[in-house]
Amino acid sequence: MAFPSFIRNFAASMIRVLAIDDEPLALQQLVTYISKVPFLELAGQCQSAVEAIRLLNSETVDAVFCDINMPDLNGMDFVKSLAAPPLIVFTTAYSEYAVEGFKVNAVDYLLKPFGLQDFIRAANRLKDRLSTPPSQEGAGGESDTLFVKTDYRMVKVSIQDIRYVEGMSEYLKLHLDSQPKPIITLLAMKALEEKLPPNFMRIHRSYIVNLDKIQEVNKNRVIMDSDTSLPIGDSYREQFNHYIETKYLGK
């Protein structure tokens, strides 16, 4: 059998996956698609979250393809109930579940109806997540790129493309040089701050700036460009002023 050209090369190790959907036809589609991806191995199939919990007690599973809308226990609550959940790809016909899914760290979403290419995209994201060496996780500044969740995708962002980060309640806006619209992601400011290299500095509870992108400092504000000036918060002023002093060429 010839596999589609967009299936990437895979390692010898298999990814054991569990398929969960209360609709028999949808479950069969998942099982069929799993069989078409060379690096996926079906560990089991369940028509309810309750059945899946029993299976997880006896089987080793790396990842789960899980429907959200199921009776008794929905997919979201099922994942939240697990003490150490596998990687999760949600399957759903309802896009409004995306924000809630960010909170349980879902790897991807498959919006019904989805095809084989969409499924393989999600499978490759599972493979990428599982193939990342644990020693690299949380090593702020050691990589040139980050992956952030936005809408229903994982987007690769060049760190040095970030001009500044704006916090909005539970969300962040990543303002980039390469595109006019910011990337919006559900993430804590502190979590991103820990991933950024030393040329990024928190200047306000709501702003992190790329120090290399600053054009001007004017009293209590940082000027990024003619349209963007950001406030310097009282709690961050001393650290920022110290940075300016190290760069200052005057007397």
Side-chain angles (χ1 to χ4, degrees):
M1 173 183 176
F3 293 101
S5 60
F6 45 80
I7 296 181
R8 297 181 293 170
N9 292 332
F10 59 95
S13 59
M14 301 291 283
I15 300 173
R16 288 176 55 79
V17 298
L18 173 62
I20 311 171
D21 201 305
D22 64 306
E23 298 178 5
L25 290 178
L27 181 60
Q28 184 55 50
Q29 181 191 45
L30 280 175
V31 171
T32 299
Y33 284 174
I34 289 168
S35 72
K36 293 181 181 294
V37 181
F39 54 84
L40 296 185
E41 176 185 352
L42 183 66
Q45 53 182 299
C46 302
Q47 287 190 252
S48 73
V50 174
E51 182 184 351
I53 290 172
R54 289 197 295 266
L55 187 144
L56 287 173
N57 288 329
S58 60
E59 292 284 344
T60 300
V61 172
D62 300 309
V64 176
F65 288 87
C66 182
D67 185 31
I68 292 179
N69 292 90
M70 295 187 292
D72 298 327
L73 183 64
N74 69 41
M76 201 71 67
D77 291 336
F78 159 69
V79 173
K80 291 177 181 178
S81 74
L82 300 176
L87 297 182
I88 303 296
V89 174
F90 282 121
T91 64
T92 177
Y94 303 95
S95 60
E96 61 266 26
Y97 283 112
V99 170
E100 185 69 17
F102 286 152
K103 297 178 181 178
V104 297
N105 200 30
V107 173
D108 204 353
Y109 282 83
L110 289 169
L111 293 177
K112 297 178 179 180
F114 55 86
L116 178 59
Q117 186 165 359
D118 295 322
F119 181 87
I120 292 173
R121 178 205 68 208
N124 278 321
R125 287 178 177 171
L126 287 174
K127 179 174 173 286
D128 287 344
R129 181 74 68 88
L130 287 168
S131 64
T132 300
S135 60
Q136 292 183 9
E137 294 179 1
E142 294 182 1
S143 173
D144 294 332
T145 58
L146 295 170
F147 281 89
V148 296
K149 297 175 184 174
T150 182
D151 296 326
Y152 321 112
R153 303 169 295 139
M154 293 282 285
V155 178
K156 186 177 182 180
V157 175
S158 169
I159 290 177
Q160 297 309 326
D161 190 31
I162 301 173
R163 295 173 59 243
Y164 67 97
V165 180
E166 179 182 0
M168 308 182 307
S169 185
E170 295 179 319
Y171 294 86
L172 298 181
K173 281 186 177 181
L174 276 59
H175 296 265
L176 309 179
D177 278 337
S178 61
Q179 61 185 61
K181 291 186 178 180
I183 292 176
I184 300 176
T185 184
L186 182 66
L187 187 66
M189 183 77 87
K190 183 67 173 177
L192 178 61
E193 187 178 7
E194 292 173 351
K195 296 282 188 180
L196 295 174
N199 62 310
F200 284 81
M201 183 179 290
R202 185 92 170 256
I203 63 165
H204 187 276
R205 62 185 178 86
S206 299
Y207 294 102
I208 297 173
V209 299
N210 185 335
L211 298 170
D212 297 335
K213 310 285 186 180
I214 294 175
Q215 293 188 0
E216 183 180 333
V217 179
N218 188 343
K219 295 183 179 179
N220 292 323
R221 303 191 74 83
V222 169
I223 312 300
M224 305 303 292
D225 56 50
S226 58
D227 299 318
T228 308
S229 89
L230 309 176
I232 303 170
D234 291 340
S235 301
Y236 305 92
R237 185 173 290 111
E238 182 177 353
Q239 179 187 15
F240 182 74
N241 286 344
H242 176 71
Y243 164 77
I244 294 298
E245 288 172 6
T246 65
K247 302 293 182 180
Y248 184 54
L249 296 180
K251 293 182 179 180

